[in-house]
Amino acid sequence: MRTTYCGLVSEALMGQTVTLCGWVNRRRDHGGVIFVDLRDREGYVQVVCDPDRPEMFATAEDLRNEFCIQIKGLVRARPAGTTNDTIQSGKIEILCQELTVLNPSVTPPFQLDDENLSETTRLTHRVLDLRRPYMQKNLMLRYRVAMEVRKFLDAKGFIDIETPMLGKSTPEGARDYLVPSRVHDGHFFALPQSPQLFKQLLMVAGYDRYYQITKCFRDEDLRADRQPEFTQIDIETSFLTEEDIRAMFQDMIVTVFKNTLGVDLGEFPVMTYQEAARRFGSDKPDLRVNLEFTELTDVMGDVDFKVFSAAANAKGGRVVALRVPGGAKEGTGLSRGEIDGYTEFVKIYGAKGLAYIKVNELAKGREGLQSPIVKNIHDKALQEVLTRTGAQDGDLLFFGADKEKVVNDAIGALRIKIGHSEFGKKSGLFESRWAPLWVVDFPMFEFDEEAQRYTAVHHPFTAPKDGHEDWMVTAPEKCISKGYDMVLNGWEMGGGSVRIHRADVQQKVFDALKISAEEAQQKFGFLLDALQYGAPPHGGLAFGLDRIVTLMTGAESIRDVIAFPKTQRAQDLLTQAPAPVDEKQLRELHIRLRNSAAAA
């Protein structure tokens, strides 16, 4: 039905007759000559309909936006002064000879070139939204990224193996999506949060280089970079060290960016988890922001300002400063309204407030500092604050004092917010560049205060550093894992670890997590049994395909790179899912709804 795509018609086809199919993006009547901007997935082409072909012209007069049409015509040069250098077909136009309406369209609920559409409107009418060049560009890029990943892994000897979608519910950090079994009354499958256990079984089975681009499911609270179902580039390999694995998949990401965007990501610094938390309060720091923490916990133990001294003396407490160069300068610094806004912002992360000091004139000592807290900090501590932060005239110092997690979360988020603000960009606190990073040496465990037990930082199958095995029982907080995350521009693109391949070490992890032998056998017995049969040393990682493409496109949400996403309330507005099911289906599954209103 067509000889080429609309967006691919160029000067190379000058003088030739082409047949095109697509949608009417716009129709313009210019004094007896009708111009049609015809659109398909590759772009636009201008079609000219002259009245000297009456039947064709009459059809063109009835065209409206989003009609699906076929045209046949002659490729010719546009008149001088009417070219469009922003599109491939911008120097030519099609003189229409034949025009067929393949399917008319009702009036669309919005103009496809409207840049101010609400997300609700876009997701409700997702089919039309997907016609927009913005979305088509994003999904075409997503396809190219997936293809580059496959080509790279294929060249390295990896094979694509599918793993089950219906499996067993195992604790992996988030709620499982459960699927009731009709055949086995009262029993449930779980949709996979990841193929973690199966890919380890494949390593034991001898498939030493496995990968899969697969759907994963987590029933968790959502935000811009999360979906209840997401796509993972899942990779596992045997007989490679932690450093080998990182090197190989750094090469993969570098290759993908170069071949799809023409971008060289450059060097990947390596930073320990401890350093990242100390300097930036985050395990995925955005290195484009030129701000970092100054540690003050050891300085504030005896000051009169109780917010600081209480945190400094509390177990697990922390006090830090965040120096904002130029933040207190008259006219160009942060306003009182902005500071108040930041005070409210940090409360989202559990902070009770946001103390600050404006450094107006260092030479005047205390008199040159502006803040209600200064009078409650003795000279020695105050001088140490100024020395450690490197404060200069016109700087603004923000402080965080609370439990370490609260401080890291709140001041870490404040660091990003200031860096990405207009002030941050104008002040040189933000560098517009790609900033990759490896974060390594994660703790094996973290203590859950509420449950009064340790939990796994990555997952319970992550291997400890050599020599740390015995600490898992005596001092779990000291254990460092062979875990690693790849970070780009403050987003965790992927993460993984070397796995435990010995049953005795795996048992020590379960002991540290207070998972009994009976519980371990019930939940992971198939893996523990497999590890007894000469399991090889193995490890891997998983990349979030949605996140990678979101970073590449600069989109604000991963919903802009997924064809049919869910909202932040885990709803599909297009198909109206989730939806009630009839009583007959529920009876077949041996399910009765406790809430009668929901059943109705």
Side-chain angles (χ1 to χ4, degrees):
M1 293 183 70
R2 64 184 174 195
T3 58
T4 187
Y5 284 101
C6 300
L8 300 183
V9 182
S10 67
E11 294 168 282
L13 296 175
M14 195 79 75
Q16 297 184 29
T17 298
V18 296
T19 302
L20 306 175
C21 296
W23 289 267
V24 175
N25 191 68
R26 190 179 176 197
R27 172 189 169 278
R28 294 165 283 142
D29 192 334
H30 286 192
V33 178
I34 294 174
F35 292 86
V36 176
D37 293 334
L38 191 60
R39 183 191 73 243
D40 62 18
R41 77 178 203 190
E42 298 296 337
Y44 302 88
V45 69
Q46 179 172 280
V47 179
V48 181
C49 302
D50 284 339
D52 56 357
R53 295 177 184 265
E55 186 177 345
M56 177 274 293
F57 192 79
T59 304
E61 286 185 310
D62 291 333
L63 294 179
R64 296 294 181 267
N65 286 5
E66 300 313 311
F67 274 38
C68 184
I69 66 173
Q70 178 192 57
I71 69 105
K72 183 177 182 180
L74 179 69
V75 180
R76 70 182 188 184
R78 289 197 190 191
T82 65
T83 59
N84 181 355
D85 294 334
T86 63
I87 58 176
Q88 183 169 334
S89 64
K91 293 184 179 179
I92 59 92
E93 61 188 15
I94 312 295
L95 178 62
C96 188
Q97 298 166 341
E98 300 175 16
L99 191 158
T100 303
V101 175
L102 300 175
N103 214 340
S105 171
V106 297
T107 302
F110 54 82
Q111 294 294 319
L112 267 66
D113 59 359
D114 187 347
E115 298 295 330
N116 298 308
L117 294 171
S118 72
E119 188 173 67
T120 298
T121 298
R122 291 178 55 204
L123 295 183
T124 301
H125 304 281
R126 188 60 162 183
V127 175
L128 288 177
D129 186 45
L130 288 172
R131 284 187 187 175
R132 297 193 306 133
Y134 169 74
M135 287 302 302
Q136 297 212 332
K137 178 183 175 184
N138 287 357
L139 291 185
M140 293 289 281
L141 177 62
R142 182 187 177 105
Y143 162 74
R144 292 198 301 273
V145 169
M147 284 302 297
E148 289 295 333
V149 167
R150 291 187 184 278
K151 286 192 291 184
F152 180 93
L153 293 173
D154 183 67
K156 297 291 185 183
F158 285 79
I159 56 176
D160 184 347
I161 304 177
E162 293 180 348
T163 54
M165 281 293 162
L166 296 176
K168 186 176 184 178
S169 179
T170 56
E172 290 194 44
R175 296 184 194 91
D176 285 323
Y177 276 100
L178 299 177
V179 180
S181 170
R182 179 184 59 82
V183 178
H184 301 281
D185 185 6
H187 290 68
F188 294 82
F189 294 105
L191 299 181
Q193 293 187 32
S194 77
Q196 179 62 50
L197 299 179
F198 285 105
K199 65 185 179 184
Q200 289 192 249
L201 293 175
L202 286 169
M203 294 302 104
V204 180
Y207 298 91
D208 64 310
R209 294 198 172 190
Y210 141 94
Y211 85 97
Q212 189 180 187
I213 299 179
T214 186
K215 285 286 188 185
C216 300
F217 306 86
R218 294 181 184 178
D219 186 7
E220 59 187 350
D221 295 334
L222 307 179
R223 56 177 185 250
D225 61 341
R226 284 183 178 173
Q227 281 279 288
E229 54 178 320
F230 56 95
T231 303
Q232 190 164 289
I233 305 168
D234 199 54
I235 309 167
E236 197 80 2
T237 182
S238 299
F239 308 116
L240 291 182
T241 67
E242 177 183 346
E243 292 75 18
D244 293 334
I245 293 170
R246 291 209 315 263
M248 178 179 288
F249 298 113
Q250 177 177 315
D251 187 21
M252 185 185 84
I253 293 299
V254 167
T255 300
V256 169
F257 269 75
K258 184 176 181 180
N259 291 350
T260 56
L261 292 187
V263 165
D264 182 0
L265 290 179
E267 294 297 317
F268 281 58
V270 178
M271 184 180 297
T272 66
Y273 168 88
Q274 290 78 7
E275 181 184 356
R278 175 176 56 82
R279 293 174 59 190
F280 307 109
S282 171
D283 61 0
K284 48 182 181 293
D286 187 346
L287 298 186
R288 297 174 300 170
V289 177
N290 295 317
L291 295 169
E292 60 181 86
F293 292 8
T294 299
E295 187 63 52
L296 296 173
T297 309
D298 60 317
V299 175
M300 295 298 178
D302 61 349
V303 299
D304 291 335
F305 189 48
K306 297 301 182 187
V307 173
F308 287 2
S309 59
N313 290 311
K315 181 182 179 182
R318 190 179 189 193
V319 184
V320 302
L322 185 73
R323 174 192 168 216
V324 182
K329 281 187 178 177
E330 191 69 32
T332 60
L334 297 172
S335 68
R336 181 54 192 262
E338 288 173 309
I339 293 173
D340 290 344
Y342 289 142
T343 301
E344 293 305 308
F345 172 74
V346 297
K347 291 179 181 178
I348 297 171
Y349 300 90
K352 300 177 183 65
L354 185 63
Y356 67 89
I357 295 176
K358 289 185 175 182
V359 183
N360 295 329
E361 196 171 347
L362 275 174
K364 291 185 176 180
R366 283 180 176 274
E367 300 303 315
L369 305 178
Q370 182 183 343
S371 171
I373 70 170
V374 169
K375 64 179 181 292
N376 294 315
I377 301 177
H378 56 71
D379 289 344
K380 183 179 178 183
L382 197 58
Q383 184 57 51
E384 194 66 20
V385 168
L386 299 174
T387 300
R388 289 192 185 186
T389 59
Q392 303 293 320
D393 290 352
D395 289 351
L396 181 62
L397 307 179
F398 285 116
F399 296 88
D402 210 307
K403 291 181 179 178
E404 184 175 13
K405 185 180 187 321
V406 172
V407 170
N408 289 351
D409 290 351
I411 306 304
L414 178 66
R415 170 183 173 269
I416 297 299
K417 193 168 183 67
I418 293 174
H420 284 251
S421 69
E422 284 302 313
F423 166 80
K425 291 173 181 176
K426 288 178 182 177
S427 303
L429 302 180
F430 180 86
E431 297 178 64
S432 182
R433 63 183 179 93
W434 295 100
L437 172 71
W438 280 110
V439 178
V440 301
D441 292 356
F442 282 81
M444 281 281 289
F445 309 104
E446 58 187 355
F447 193 73
D448 185 333
E449 294 285 352
E450 186 175 335
Q452 286 295 297
R453 61 186 292 181
Y454 285 98
T455 59
V457 169
H458 267 81
H459 54 63
F461 316 107
T462 301
K465 290 286 187 185
D466 295 340
H468 288 212
E469 296 91 345
D470 292 337
W471 283 345
M472 285 190 281
V473 177
T474 59
E477 69 280 359
K478 292 183 179 181
C479 288
I480 303 298
S481 74
K482 293 181 180 179
Y484 36 81
D485 283 355
M486 183 186 287
V487 176
L488 183 64
N489 294 358
W491 282 40
E492 179 194 327
M493 274 209 306
S497 65
V498 172
R499 322 302 185 188
I500 296 169
H501 67 283
R502 287 168 38 200
D504 59 327
V505 176
Q506 186 65 72
Q507 186 58 55
K508 289 181 179 179
V509 173
F510 289 152
D511 290 343
L513 297 174
K514 295 185 178 178
I515 296 175
S516 68
E518 294 76 16
E519 184 183 0
Q521 190 63 36
Q522 179 187 4
K523 293 179 176 177
F524 312 111
F526 56 94
L527 175 64
L528 297 177
D529 291 344
L531 292 179
Q532 300 177 88
Y533 296 102
H538 60 281
L541 43 67
F543 290 97
L545 178 61
D546 311 304
R547 291 188 181 186
I548 291 173
V549 182
T550 302
L551 280 163
M552 286 180 160
T553 61
E556 292 185 1
S557 164
I558 63 173
R559 290 186 286 278
D560 279 352
V561 302
I562 299 172
F564 300 104
K566 307 294 188 291
T567 67
Q568 285 189 308
R569 296 188 63 197
Q571 291 176 299
D572 182 342
L573 299 182
L574 176 68
T575 65
Q576 297 298 303
V581 297
D582 61 40
E583 184 63 29
K584 180 176 181 293
Q585 287 178 284
L586 293 176
R587 283 199 304 271
E588 287 178 342
L589 295 170
H590 317 289
I591 290 176
R592 177 182 298 162
L593 298 181
R594 297 176 65 183
N595 185 339
S596 57

